[in-house]
Amino acid sequence: MAPEITPNTFLTTTGSPSDQKTTIFFISGNPGLIGYYHPFLSLLSKYLDQPKERHSPSPPSFQIHGCSLSGFEINEHQPSPSQDNGIDLNLEDQICFVQGKLAALMADEPNLNGTVNSGTRQKVILIGHSVGAYIAMEILRRHREESPQSTFNIVGGAMLFPTVKDIAASPSGQKLTTLLSIIPRLAVVVSFLARLLTFLLPTSLLRYVIRMVMGDPPRSCFGHHLCFFEESAWGAASFVCVVYMAADEMKTITSDRWSDDVWGAASAREPIAKLFFYFGRNDHWVADQTRDDIVAVRGRKGEQAGPTMIVCEEGLPHAFCLKHSDVMAQKVAGMIGQIVA
């Protein structure tokens, strides 16, 4: 498959074109624009394509794919949103959307007798950021339930700053929940304000405001933020998607909903997915108590199977893709190396 990098997609490969490739499937957080992650994914492909040592064998080959979530796609020829562009899509809708994208990428069609030889199945590694980690875990659950009919196995995952449990208990979750209780139609209000800013402020002033709010973001990400405003119809619609989806996250991401089989515990049936969870410290979308509970209950203990839990000691922020893509790409490349070892 030919590499393709657009505002809505990312697809590249490493290694020789003839090599059998493991697919790395990336799922973004909210807002769901894949463009935020282009630098991270490009750097990840670079590090995965480097031998660990000068005379070591060639590294495994990968295809790396990601796409914008539904409702966040940028139409370069017609910025105005269509009626079915994903407005008011909830978390369940996004899970189904992403699962469909993965199935299409992997050409996931069973043979005539409805089964696939497990030895010939392709391998997939999921990477999820923020709510993308929740989507990844849910896709893993559903895939394991349907795996006898699938053409691929999900062999591992890297969950980055994962909001997989009790998101409303986080500092930002508490603020958003309070705001939603005061303004139930917050998405509509935000949409109106976005349109108003676009109408009143010239582009040069919009650029200044965005840079002030974001703390001087890198050029690669700045353009995606500016698009929210410059294309007023699309931008306002996308703000509705951001807020509506976030509000549904507060209601949906509550207790741990997955079995030991999904978490890759010792009792899981083969193939066990090797999972890594990378948590931040003082993450405004993951309460410290929530993080500690997940690590204590679900983390791997000694030689037993289970997710590898990592708590960041370097102060990386939840939105790592804005200024910390390089260090995060190196970390994730190491995780993927352990998954395929």
Side-chain angles (χ1 to χ4, degrees):
M1 190 175 294
E4 178 184 15
I5 300 178
T6 73
N8 297 319
T9 59
F10 183 96
L11 177 63
T12 192
T13 59
T14 69
S16 169
S18 61
D19 290 346
Q20 184 176 3
K21 299 183 185 300
T22 297
T23 295
I24 298 171
F25 189 80
F26 181 82
I27 308 168
S28 71
N30 183 10
L33 289 97
I34 195 64
Y36 288 129
Y37 302 94
H38 282 171
F40 165 72
L41 294 172
S42 297
L43 288 163
L44 177 61
S45 66
K46 167 190 167 184
Y47 291 125
L48 288 174
D49 210 21
Q50 292 178 346
K52 292 184 178 181
E53 299 177 0
R54 179 175 297 180
H55 301 294
S56 61
S58 298
S61 296
F62 300 93
Q63 70 166 347
I64 304 172
H65 180 271
C67 64
S68 294
L69 297 180
S70 183
F72 296 94
E73 301 98 331
I74 298 173
N75 189 331
E76 298 174 274
H77 305 292
Q78 185 181 358
S80 298
S82 63
Q83 293 182 348
D84 59 347
N85 77 332
I87 301 300
D88 291 357
L89 286 181
N90 58 27
L91 193 50
E92 173 62 24
D93 295 325
Q94 295 290 1
I95 293 168
C96 293
F97 174 81
V98 175
Q99 190 174 24
K101 288 286 187 179
L102 176 59
L105 176 70
M106 304 306 296
D108 192 20
E109 297 179 1
N111 58 21
L112 293 178
N113 63 11
T115 61
V116 179
N117 187 324
S118 60
T120 63
R121 289 178 183 165
Q122 304 171 79
K123 295 179 180 179
V124 171
I125 297 171
L126 301 177
I127 303 177
H129 174 227
S130 191
V131 71
Y134 180 93
I135 295 173
M137 289 291 287
E138 189 60 15
I139 287 176
L140 176 57
R141 178 186 71 81
R142 299 178 189 195
H143 183 265
R144 290 185 71 82
E145 292 174 355
E146 303 162 2
S147 59
Q149 288 76 42
S150 178
T151 62
F152 64 92
N153 285 327
I154 298 176
V155 297
M159 312 304 171
L160 312 179
F161 303 90
T163 57
V164 294
K165 182 176 180 286
D166 294 335
I167 189 174
S170 67
S172 290
Q174 292 180 40
K175 294 175 183 177
L176 179 57
T177 301
T178 300
L179 191 57
L180 287 166
S181 67
I182 299 171
I183 311 174
R185 296 182 63 80
L186 181 62
V188 177
V189 173
V190 170
S191 173
F192 171 77
L193 292 176
R195 290 177 182 271
L196 187 63
L197 282 175
T198 305
F199 179 75
L200 294 177
L201 300 182
T203 300
S204 58
L205 188 53
L206 275 175
R207 291 176 181 270
Y208 176 77
V209 170
I210 294 171
R211 286 195 178 277
M212 288 292 291
V213 172
M214 292 189 62
D216 193 26
R219 183 179 300 272
S220 58
C221 296
F222 176 70
H224 299 289
H225 282 275
L226 186 63
C227 187
F228 268 73
F229 292 94
E230 286 189 327
E231 306 294 355
S232 59
W234 180 90
S238 293
F239 265 116
V240 175
C241 287
V242 170
V243 178
Y244 187 91
M245 182 176 168
D248 192 60
E249 291 170 32
M250 299 304 109
K251 296 182 294 184
T252 304
I253 303 177
T254 54
S255 59
D256 179 357
R257 62 179 300 170
W258 301 293
S259 66
D260 288 349
D261 185 62
V262 177
W263 283 98
S267 59
R269 59 188 169 84
E270 295 290 340
I272 296 176
K274 186 175 181 62
L275 302 178
F276 288 82
F277 280 72
Y278 191 92
F279 291 98
R281 287 203 179 274
N282 303 313
D283 187 336
H284 60 100
W285 282 114
V286 182
D288 289 348
Q289 185 62 53
T290 299
R291 177 200 65 212
D292 294 343
D293 288 346
I294 294 173
V295 171
V297 174
R298 292 299 190 178
R300 184 175 63 184
K301 299 172 180 64
E303 297 300 320
Q304 295 181 354
T308 298
M309 302 290 184
I310 304 167
V311 180
C312 178
E313 300 294 346
E314 301 170 51
L316 297 182
H318 186 90
F320 72 87
C321 56
L322 297 183
K323 294 184 178 181
H324 300 83
S325 290
D326 188 82
V327 63
M328 206 68 233
Q330 294 182 58
K331 291 178 181 296
V332 174
M335 298 174 196
I336 291 172
Q338 293 184 57
I339 293 172
V340 299

